Amino acid sequence: MVLNDEKSNVSGKSLMTALQRQLRESLCPWKATESSGELLLSRYFKQAQHLEELLTRTLKLGESNSALVIAPRGTGKSVLVNILLGRLGESGILGNGMVVRLSGLVHTDDRLALKEITSQLRLESAAANKVFASFAENLSFLLDCLRCGNKESSKPVVFLLDEFDLFCHHRNQTLLYNLFDVAQSAQAPICVIGLTSRLDVIELLEKRVKSRFSHRQIYLFNEEKFDPHYLDTFKTLLHLPSSFPNKSFAKEWNTHITNLTKDANVCSLLKRQYDTTHDIRSLKTLLMMSVCQLQVEQPQLTYQMLAQAQQNLVAETKTNVLQGLSILQVCLVVAMKHLTTVYEGEPFNFEMVFREYMKFCHSKSSMQSYERPVIFKAYDQLKSLELVRPVDNSKGVQREYQLVQLMMTPYQVNEALLQLQGIPTDLQQWASSDIV
């Protein structure tokens, strides 16, 4: 598949431009194409059906509802809701209904949230000359403005609260209380959908807020396996649709992508990515970096492109920081790597790291061992470099017992050690071996 053999150089460049545009659109982290959207809907069919039914009852029948969509980051919560709203819009059910989107990362207090609600409902002029005694009065006025006589003729409103758990930290949870109160008392047809990755989010709600919430929770647990689910996602993200300008090229490209998933080297690379994180956004980032290497002379995606992209992806700043560490600090990083593996990512403290290091010194190392104060100072410097991060800010806990996490994966540590010069053989073997 060489473009220069089929067309002129100008045509080859235009075809490559169309290919890059199509693939970059498919690999956008926060969006889903038609094919990837269908894949997402098929995996969460029951949950999507439940959520669509709630939205339909609000938009069509004027019934008020509230629900939480709970799933790990990168699962596709926001994308799923947007796809359902798009389908309702195409079918005409959305009609005169309005969608208000709020984010806990942006709207950090109720004042900002209310201002955004006013803006998205386009009621700035109506509320400009009004003086409100409370938040509830202001919100009630906004919803009243959407009424045209009675409940049946009121405009339904869908509130999407992204990062819902952050709204729980607002003072008195006034926004949540009033939204759930309106939904429960059926003052106006609204549907409140919260999106969060915290399983304990219900426990963050105050008692008065919790009593007005429907306690309807929709879980999107990612149960996909590497084969076939992850590989299917890989093929779907790189698939060229039938609308692509050059039909023959699209057919060849799609066949080539299917063949890539049967290549042992490519599968090994993707398995490594899958073991590091199941987040589809990380896979999209890997593929985006690979796609950027495509040229007119090389229009095929190759294993070398994927390998180069993965190498650039894992070569983070923290990996480069290891280049300037002392041997003692590298020993502590290896000890933390082993603890991370043993306890499956659970936090640890200095005492555990110290014990792991001393076991290495006494059993398998001919290296010089250091005194405890020296080791603790080296450990403290790793915290200053942010290679180690405290999991909480508990006061009154001695620093030796403060729980921390290593901010690198075991794979990243191993890859970084391979690039370090002058590492003692004992240390290299300890890093690549099983736990002491």
Side-chain angles (χ1 to χ4, degrees):
M1 185 166 52
V2 181
L3 298 179
N4 290 338
D5 293 342
E6 298 177 358
K7 297 185 177 184
S8 65
N9 192 41
V10 176
S11 299
K13 287 182 179 180
S14 63
L15 184 56
M16 182 55 60
T17 300
L19 176 65
Q20 290 276 6
R21 185 185 298 114
Q22 178 62 50
L23 292 177
R24 293 187 186 203
E25 181 181 346
S26 301
L27 297 173
C28 181
W30 310 108
K31 294 182 180 179
T33 59
E34 184 177 348
S35 56
S36 58
E38 290 175 357
L39 187 64
L40 186 66
L41 287 173
S42 65
R43 289 185 182 167
Y44 302 112
F45 176 75
K46 291 184 179 179
Q47 296 90 330
Q49 195 176 37
H50 186 190
L51 193 55
E52 186 173 14
E53 183 183 351
L54 290 178
L55 293 169
T56 302
R57 284 191 299 200
T58 298
L59 297 168
K60 203 170 182 180
L61 306 176
E63 178 184 309
S64 293
N65 291 297
S66 59
L68 285 176
V69 179
I70 303 174
R73 295 192 183 280
T75 304
K77 302 182 293 293
S78 301
V79 172
L80 181 65
V81 174
N82 289 332
I83 290 173
L84 294 177
L85 288 173
R87 286 172 52 172
L88 293 174
E90 291 173 1
S91 62
I93 295 177
L94 187 57
N96 293 325
M98 307 187 74
V99 180
V100 175
R101 303 173 187 272
L102 303 175
S103 172
L105 294 172
V106 178
H107 309 106
T108 52
D109 59 47
D110 290 341
R111 181 184 59 83
L112 290 173
L114 189 59
K115 185 177 180 181
E116 183 65 20
I117 293 172
T118 307
S119 174
Q120 292 192 32
L121 294 179
R122 301 177 184 177
L123 296 173
E124 298 96 333
S125 57
N129 300 321
K130 294 284 185 178
V131 178
F132 302 101
S134 65
F135 184 97
E137 185 180 333
N138 196 337
L139 182 62
S140 297
F141 172 77
L142 295 178
L143 296 174
D144 284 340
C145 289
L146 301 177
R147 291 184 181 167
C148 304
N150 53 32
K151 176 182 174 182
E152 286 70 23
S153 58
S154 297
K155 283 188 177 181
V157 184
V158 177
F159 287 89
L160 298 181
L161 306 184
D162 207 359
E163 302 293 343
F164 179 84
D165 51 289
L166 297 182
F167 287 100
C168 298
H169 299 298
H170 289 192
R171 186 172 179 270
N172 297 330
Q173 298 183 358
T174 307
L175 173 67
L176 298 181
Y177 172 79
N178 283 280
L179 286 177
F180 289 150
D181 186 56
V182 171
Q184 186 192 51
S185 59
Q187 299 173 29
I190 72 169
C191 183
V192 183
I193 304 294
L195 309 174
T196 181
S197 57
R198 289 194 58 166
L199 290 171
D200 63 341
V201 66
I202 295 293
E203 303 305 318
L204 300 178
L205 297 176
E206 293 181 2
K207 186 179 294 185
R208 64 179 189 136
V209 180
K210 195 183 296 185
S211 66
R212 283 161 175 77
F213 175 51
S214 66
H215 289 266
R216 187 182 287 111
Q217 300 171 57
I218 302 172
Y219 293 93
L220 305 181
F221 286 128
N222 193 344
E223 299 178 353
E224 67 176 23
K225 298 179 180 179
F226 175 73
D227 189 7
H229 301 108
Y230 198 74
L231 291 179
D232 285 345
T233 302
F234 171 81
K235 288 190 289 187
T236 301
L237 292 175
L238 293 175
H239 183 271
L240 291 181
S242 56
S243 59
F244 190 76
N246 191 315
K247 308 296 183 185
S248 61
F249 178 82
K251 185 177 180 180
E252 286 186 58
W253 171 271
N254 292 336
T255 303
H256 173 65
I257 296 301
T258 301
N259 292 334
L260 274 182
T261 59
K262 301 175 183 176
D263 185 283
N265 291 328
V266 173
C267 286
S268 176
L269 183 146
L270 292 176
K271 185 66 165 63
R272 187 185 307 162
Q273 181 73 15
Y274 174 80
D275 290 338
T276 302
T277 173
H278 295 185
D279 193 337
I280 300 303
R281 289 177 298 190
S282 297
L283 176 61
K284 285 185 174 183
T285 302
L286 172 68
L287 298 181
M288 181 70 83
M289 295 173 70
S290 304
V291 165
C292 289
Q293 301 176 51
L294 294 173
Q295 299 177 358
V296 175
E297 297 77 16
Q298 178 52 273
Q300 287 183 324
L301 195 65
T302 63
Y303 165 74
Q304 288 74 20
M305 292 179 182
L306 291 167
Q308 181 63 44
Q310 191 173 64
Q311 183 178 353
N312 294 336
L313 196 60
V314 300
E316 298 176 349
T317 305
K318 289 183 174 59
T319 305
N320 297 330
V321 169
L322 290 186
Q323 304 285 341
L325 297 183
S326 66
I327 295 298
L328 172 59
Q329 289 171 326
V330 174
C331 286
L332 296 182
V333 170
V334 173
M336 294 175 191
K337 185 206 84 161
H338 285 319
L339 288 173
T340 301
T341 303
V342 169
Y343 296 107
E344 298 181 345
E346 292 297 313
F348 48 84
N349 57 34
F350 170 73
E351 292 296 335
M352 298 167 70
V353 176
F354 178 72
R355 186 170 65 249
E356 197 71 28
Y357 169 73
M358 295 307 296
K359 283 166 59 180
F360 164 66
C361 290
H362 292 156
S363 61
K364 292 190 176 182
S365 174
S366 58
M367 296 167 51
Q368 173 190 358
S369 60
Y370 296 88
E371 297 294 327
R372 181 188 175 92
V374 177
I375 297 174
F376 183 73
K377 184 175 182 180
Y379 171 83
D380 223 23
Q381 289 173 340
L382 293 178
K383 289 172 64 176
S384 301
L385 292 170
E386 296 185 357
L387 287 172
V388 177
R389 180 183 66 86
V391 297
D392 55 30
N393 295 318
S394 302
K395 295 182 180 179
V397 178
Q398 295 182 20
R399 288 192 296 167
E400 292 90 339
Y401 299 99
Q402 187 180 33
L403 292 176
V404 298
Q405 279 185 322
L406 180 64
M407 301 306 291
M408 298 177 66
T409 65
Y411 172 76
Q412 287 176 317
V413 174
N414 289 336
E415 289 294 309
L417 290 178
L418 292 176
Q419 301 173 18
L420 293 181
Q421 301 295 325
I423 293 295
T425 305
D426 294 347
L427 179 56
Q428 197 75 36
Q429 290 176 346
W430 182 39
S432 58
S433 68
D434 295 331
I435 314 303
V436 175

